[in-house]
Structure formats: structure tokens, C-alpha cells
Amino acid sequence: MNCTRDYCVKDINLAPSGEKKIDWVSRFMPVLQAIRKDFEEKKPFEGVRIATTLHLEMKTAFLLLTLKAAGAEISAAASNPLSTQDDVVAALAKAGVKVYAIRGEDREQYYEFMHKALDIKPNIIIDDGADMVSTVLKERTELIDELWGASEETTTGVIRLRAMEKDGVLRFPIIAVNDSYTKYLFDNRYGTGQSTWDGILRTTNLLIAGKNVVVVGYGWCGKGIAMRARGLGATVIVVEVDPIRALEARMDGFLVMDMTEAAKVGDIFVTSTGDINCIRKEHFEVMKDGVIMANAGHFDVEISKPDLEELAVDISEPRPNITEYTLADGRRLYLLAEGRLVNLAAADGHPAEIMDMSFALQAKAAEYILNNHEKLEPKVYVLPREIDEMVARIKLASMGIKIEELTEEQRHYLASWEHGT
């Protein structure tokens, strides 16, 4: 481990490999490239301090370097102990980002590194899961006076932050980047859909076709996971608590069951709910031998590891990122990536073209906080629609797609009420 005042990484000599990764993905991130070019010219963040807790992999690195190119002082800690790519972190340290992260760090290190990232006394926080915001509110309240606001990347984080707002504990404004159309319609659905199966396939090297895949949660992430499972030839079963989403899943052509029934027939289970203990003891007790379980939610709480450990008579690791729990009756249940985010813990996360839009929104969210923090209240906000549309337009242009424009007559018609039957 290489540690200085400005970084703590596994091996600083891994930087050249990380630099190659960052260069590769940057070629497929035209929206963020356009924003970076503008930022480099205008330097809007000159003298601004930005602390981040994110998945420290190659796409994230390009976002951090974009903000640094805009003049900001950047610090970074990991938002998940298993999503860190040590060579990318080394490259960030070489580039002058104050970064503190090592793949596989324990809980104590996780929070130690987060506090180090906060030591720059940030004006802006970019969070993934709301752990950094929560830490400031509970343990680092001395930072609040200089903190203008924060942005949040994930559904799980936004849920936590809205709970904070409801309880009256928020002390600064939050931009819910996750709730922007060009984030959740694409990142959550197409990004999670592809990258979750990438993680499962890399880890297991097993066939999906012909298997019963149980998708737990039918939000935008669950929709993407179910869609890609069907494309791989699986029979898809959705488990939901929301009657409207359950009905939607059925209308989309999927089977819908409660977990008690789905547990008896599933071959592969994927959770994406943001809630705790969605698969637990009574479900493990009726599962088939050889079941594979993976989690696509932010925290490792959706599949109950304590219950698995209680039921197991033996625990082993037949392959990297696979934990085998052998039960008393001889059945074997497999948990991927310790129940953490399988797409990042066991693969490279979302495709670059998807994170291009999400991180473009994060960059613009930071700029929005910079320009508007004095008039924002300590509430959870969504970015203005025009920023969403700007990201979509740049993305379309990069794909060589030209869309239709309204005529003046059409604009007038849509803005008027006089025309009837």
C-alpha cells in the first residue's frame, strides 16, 4: 500500500495501466468530452473544492479529471469496497486527484478514507449511495458552513436523502441526478441491464438460456435486468411489492410471483430493490440445489448473508467472486461478489456510452450548485429539464442522429387552447 498526505492506493506503479483504461473509455464519452472542452476554456471551478464518494473505475475517473480540468480541487473515496480498480486509482493519484481507495478495503478503512476525502473541506459533494452526505451530517458538521450542496447518483441514495429531508436533518441542498430522465431511463435500464449480466456471466461462465431467472424489483434497474435476461433466453419471473409495477411486469410478458413461490422454481436470482432482506432464511430453505444469487442494488443487504451463514454447514469459494454455502441437506447455494453490486464488483460496471450521460449530468449538477447554491434551500432537487435535453441532444449528435424541429405553426398550436374539434 502506498500512502502519502494526498493519496492512499494499493500500488502507485499501476498508474500506466489505469491511464490506458481511462483513455480508452474517454473515446466513447462524447457528451462529457464536450463539457470538458467547455470547462477547460472557462475554468468555472477555479478555487472550488469537490469531494466525491464514487465507484472508482475508469468512467468515473474521466468525470473526476473533467472537473479537475475545470479548475477544481478534487478528492475521492470509494463508494463500494469491491468496485475500486487499483490501477485507475493510481492513475488518478498521479494526475493530482487526492484519492484514498484500495480494492477490498474493510469497513474501518472505508470510513477512514471517506474522512480523508472530506478533509479538503469541500464546497460540493458528489455522492453515490449518500454515505458521504450522511457522514457529514452525523460526524463532520464543522464542514457544513462551507458546503454549498451535493449531488447523488443512485436510486438508493436518493431514497435515503429524501428520508433525511422528510426528517428535517438536511442542512444543504441536494441534486438528485438519479431522477433526471437521461440518467434513470438509460443508466438504470440499459446500463444496469447489460452490466449486471456481464458480471454474472464473467463470474459463472454458465448458460442463461433455458433457466428460470427471478428478478426482485421492477423499477428501472429491474426492467433492464429482466429485458436482458429474456434476450439471453431465460424464463423471467418478477417479484414485486408495488401492485402497479407488478401489473406492468405481467403486461410486459413476464411471470409475476411472490418470493415464497419464486424461491421454489428460480435458478438465478437478481435483486434490485434498494431494500433489506428481500431474499432471506425462509426462501433459502426451499431453493433448489445450485441456485445462483446476485445483487444489483447499491448495498449488500438485499440478500441476507447472516441467514445464509446461519444455515450453512460449510462455506467455500469455488471460483473468484463466488461464495458457496453448503446446507445441512447437501444443497449448495451460490452468492456472487459477496452480495455487493455484481456489475462493479465482478465486472467493469456500466458501458462507457451510458456513463457518458450520467456523468455529464453530474458535471452539470456541480456547475448548477456552483451557480445557484445561494438561493437553494436544504431540499432534494431535480436538475432543470433543459440540462436533461442538452445531454440528450449532444448524445444524439454524436450518434449521427438528426431529430425533427417544430414549425412555428406547430409551436403556436401546442401553446394555444382555441382549436377544438
Side-chain angles (χ1 to χ4, degrees), residues 1-159:
M1 187 164 66
N2 301 144
C3 293
T4 70
R5 189 181 69 174
D6 290 337
Y7 64 78
C8 197
V9 303
K10 182 178 181 179
D11 183 355
I12 195 67
N13 295 314
L14 296 173
S17 170
E19 289 164 355
K20 289 179 181 179
K21 285 184 176 180
I22 298 165
D23 177 64
W24 168 254
V25 296
S26 70
R27 303 176 194 186
F28 303 96
M29 302 178 78
V31 183
L32 198 54
Q33 282 179 9
I35 291 171
R36 178 170 180 161
K37 183 178 180 181
D38 180 61
F39 280 0
E40 283 178 323
E41 293 173 1
K42 298 176 180 176
K43 300 287 184 184
F45 295 102
E46 197 73 61
V48 176
R49 301 181 299 277
I50 302 177
T52 68
T53 300
L54 296 165
H55 297 292
L56 293 176
E57 45 79 51
M58 45 197 164
K59 285 89 65 181
T60 307
F62 189 53
L63 167 65
L64 299 182
L65 295 177
T66 295
L67 293 170
K68 189 174 187 301
E73 178 183 354
I74 305 293
S75 67
S79 64
N80 189 296
L82 290 183
S83 63
T84 298
Q85 295 182 358
D86 288 317
D87 54 352
V88 170
V89 170
L92 285 171
K94 280 283 191 182
V97 174
K98 292 179 169 64
V99 60
Y100 311 93
I102 296 169
R103 181 179 174 85
E105 62 197 35
D106 60 26
R107 181 180 173 83
E108 183 179 347
Q109 282 181 311
Y110 175 83
Y111 282 103
E112 176 191 345
F113 290 159
M114 186 179 299
H115 281 284
K116 285 182 179 294
L118 285 169
D119 285 344
I120 67 167
K121 299 180 179 178
N123 306 119
I124 297 170
I125 285 173
I126 301 177
D127 212 343
D128 190 312
D131 271 351
M132 182 171 272
V133 168
S134 178
T135 297
V136 168
L137 292 174
K138 291 190 293 187
E139 301 176 43
R140 300 295 298 272
T141 54
E142 81 278 4
L143 302 175
I144 291 174
D145 286 345
E146 295 186 58
L147 190 54
W148 301 335
S151 62
E152 171 56 46
E153 176 76 7
T154 66
T155 304
T156 299
V158 171
I159 290 170

Side-chain angles (χ1 to χ4, degrees), residues 63-361:
L63 167 65
L64 299 182
L65 295 177
T66 295
L67 293 170
K68 189 174 187 301
E73 178 183 354
I74 305 293
S75 67
S79 64
N80 189 296
L82 290 183
S83 63
T84 298
Q85 295 182 358
D86 288 317
D87 54 352
V88 170
V89 170
L92 285 171
K94 280 283 191 182
V97 174
K98 292 179 169 64
V99 60
Y100 311 93
I102 296 169
R103 181 179 174 85
E105 62 197 35
D106 60 26
R107 181 180 173 83
E108 183 179 347
Q109 282 181 311
Y110 175 83
Y111 282 103
E112 176 191 345
F113 290 159
M114 186 179 299
H115 281 284
K116 285 182 179 294
L118 285 169
D119 285 344
I120 67 167
K121 299 180 179 178
N123 306 119
I124 297 170
I125 285 173
I126 301 177
D127 212 343
D128 190 312
D131 271 351
M132 182 171 272
V133 168
S134 178
T135 297
V136 168
L137 292 174
K138 291 190 293 187
E139 301 176 43
R140 300 295 298 272
T141 54
E142 81 278 4
L143 302 175
I144 291 174
D145 286 345
E146 295 186 58
L147 190 54
W148 301 335
S151 62
E152 171 56 46
E153 176 76 7
T154 66
T155 304
T156 299
V158 171
I159 290 170
R160 294 180 76 192
L161 291 162
R162 291 197 187 281
M164 293 177 199
E165 180 184 352
K166 182 180 178 182
D167 288 347
V169 300
L170 270 186
R171 301 276 299 279
F172 42 84
I174 304 289
I175 305 296
V177 168
N178 179 78
D179 291 359
S180 296
Y181 288 107
T182 45
K183 200 283 183 182
Y184 70 78
L185 289 178
F186 302 96
D187 180 311
N188 294 15
R189 178 169 37 167
Y190 298 107
T192 306
Q194 176 169 317
S195 64
T196 295
W197 287 107
D198 182 23
I200 294 170
L201 290 167
R202 285 197 206 188
T203 305
T204 65
N205 191 33
L206 296 177
L207 184 68
I208 308 303
K211 289 188 170 66
N212 293 330
V213 169
V214 178
V215 178
V216 188
Y218 201 66
W220 287 105
C221 292
K223 288 180 175 71
I225 295 165
M227 175 175 58
R228 293 301 179 229
R230 176 161 57 190
L232 288 166
T235 297
V236 180
I237 300 163
V238 170
V239 174
E240 248 298 344
V241 297
D242 185 308
I244 296 172
R245 287 181 177 175
L247 183 60
E248 182 184 13
R250 189 68 193 99
M251 295 291 187
D252 285 344
F254 302 119
L255 299 174
V256 177
M257 300 179 188
D258 63 14
M259 181 55 76
T260 300
E261 293 304 311
K264 299 172 184 176
V265 298
D267 299 303
I268 300 173
F269 293 77
V270 186
T271 54
S272 59
T273 70
D275 207 347
I276 192 167
N277 294 339
C278 301
I279 307 180
R280 51 192 182 271
K281 184 176 181 179
E282 64 262 35
H283 306 132
F284 303 139
E285 289 175 335
V286 298
M287 284 180 174
K288 298 190 288 188
D289 179 37
V291 154
I292 290 167
M293 293 174 285
N295 172 49
H298 184 79
F299 294 115
D300 60 337
V301 297
E302 303 200 22
I303 301 167
S304 177
K305 291 190 285 186
D307 284 354
L308 277 171
E309 290 163 5
E310 179 188 336
L311 290 169
V313 295
D314 184 63
I315 301 174
S316 61
E317 186 178 328
R319 282 172 59 97
N321 279 320
I322 301 178
T323 305
E324 179 184 85
Y325 296 87
T326 303
L327 308 189
D329 60 5
R331 284 180 299 126
R332 292 161 298 178
L333 307 181
Y334 300 104
L335 180 65
L336 307 189
E338 300 178 12
R340 298 189 182 275
L341 272 166
V342 71
N343 59 341
L344 279 153
D348 288 321
H350 291 0
E353 298 94 333
I354 289 294
M355 295 314 298
D356 185 29
M357 290 186 284
S358 296
F359 285 157
L361 288 169

